[in-house]
Amino acid sequence: MQKIILITTLAASTALPVQAAWQVQSEHSKVNFVTEKIFTNGKSVKETQLISGVSGQVNDQKQAEIKIDLATIDTKIPIRNDRIKQWVLDTTNYRYATVKADLSGIDEQKLTVGAAKQMEVDGQLTIRETTLPIKLFVKVTKNAAADYLVESYQDTSININQYGGEAGVQQMTKVMGLKSITSVVPVKWALTLKQTH
């Protein structure tokens, strides 16, 4: 039940440049979220889940748009993957979550290789047809002349109930014989971006 991740709809405006300043390297990027299930005896278990399908870009104005493929959720349990995708997220109709954020506070010209910059960023997360503001805690590290690691230095909490997932969470709770499953999940991410020009 997740959320992921990640990452926000921007104060946008007119048309964005066709060419991206930075491009997400999907094979080296991921989003993680933590779920907690509470048993009828009061004991609880927290589990870290993975979303591997991450793509997107940052344009010349440093406006980021990240797409998170919710169909790539991996909880290590296939039937649970299916239940989350079908009941909680409805990935058949709403496969992608979208994060948009303003990263204009980053001046890559001032970052030397190995140097990092941290900042809080206001963004927007869209899941299904719901878009809500989120706070992102972004750390940007310059790994090489044109390569950057953009990751969270603090979790972002996402309440899946706010995105239409409440009934699905309740259904999973019932089927699994649990007392409850937390609807608020902490999300973190690590994205590798390549500067394109």
Side-chain angles (χ1 to χ4, degrees):
M1 310 125 293
Q2 52 199 110
K3 283 357 355 34
I4 223 302
I5 2 152
L6 227 271
I7 321 188
T8 27
T9 224
L10 262 163
S13 55
T14 58
L16 299 179
V18 174
Q19 192 173 21
W22 296 352
Q23 193 75 40
V24 173
Q25 305 301 291
S26 299
E27 66 274 21
H28 301 300
S29 301
K30 62 183 179 180
V31 173
N32 291 307
F33 63 98
V34 177
T35 58
E36 182 177 10
K37 54 188 180 185
I38 302 172
F39 298 94
T40 54
N41 63 5
K43 294 183 179 181
S44 65
V45 173
K46 292 183 178 180
E47 298 169 298
T48 299
Q49 323 295 5
L50 170 68
I51 304 175
S52 58
V54 185
S55 60
Q57 63 183 33
V58 181
N59 69 17
D60 288 322
Q61 285 70 48
K62 296 296 191 298
Q63 305 304 302
E65 182 167 351
I66 308 299
K67 289 181 67 177
I68 303 167
D69 186 351
L70 301 176
T72 66
I73 287 171
D74 183 8
T75 69
K76 302 293 191 295
I77 301 176
I79 191 170
R80 182 166 61 186
N81 295 346
D82 293 340
R83 288 169 175 170
I84 291 174
K85 288 186 280 189
Q86 179 181 350
W87 297 347
V88 181
L89 298 171
D90 187 13
T91 57
T92 299
N93 295 307
Y94 307 100
R95 178 164 176 165
Y96 295 95
T98 303
V99 175
K100 295 182 181 179
D102 182 354
L103 301 182
S104 57
I106 299 171
D107 184 353
E108 68 273 20
Q109 302 301 322
K110 295 182 179 179
L111 280 179
T112 57
V113 174
K117 178 179 175 61
Q118 290 187 182
M119 60 184 180
E120 293 185 20
V121 174
D122 291 321
Q124 294 178 328
L125 170 65
T126 300
I127 298 174
R128 295 191 180 187
E129 296 178 337
T130 300
T131 300
L132 295 171
I134 60 172
K135 180 75 71 175
L136 302 171
F137 304 93
V138 179
K139 178 182 178 181
V140 179
T141 304
K142 188 170 186 177
N143 291 334
D147 294 310
Y148 299 82
L149 174 64
V150 180
E151 61 186 330
S152 52
Y153 66 86
Q154 183 175 320
D155 293 345
T156 293
S157 294
I158 304 297
N159 187 339
I160 191 56
N161 289 349
Q162 296 178 325
Y163 296 90
E166 184 173 8
V169 172
Q170 291 176 350
Q171 189 173 1
M172 288 191 66
T173 300
K174 182 178 180 180
V175 167
M176 295 171 69
L178 300 171
K179 180 179 180 180
S180 64
I181 298 173
T182 54
S183 59
V184 178
V185 297
V187 178
K188 62 178 57 178
W189 68 90
L191 310 178
T192 298
L193 292 94
K194 190 171 189 65
Q195 190 171 356
T196 56
H197 64 275

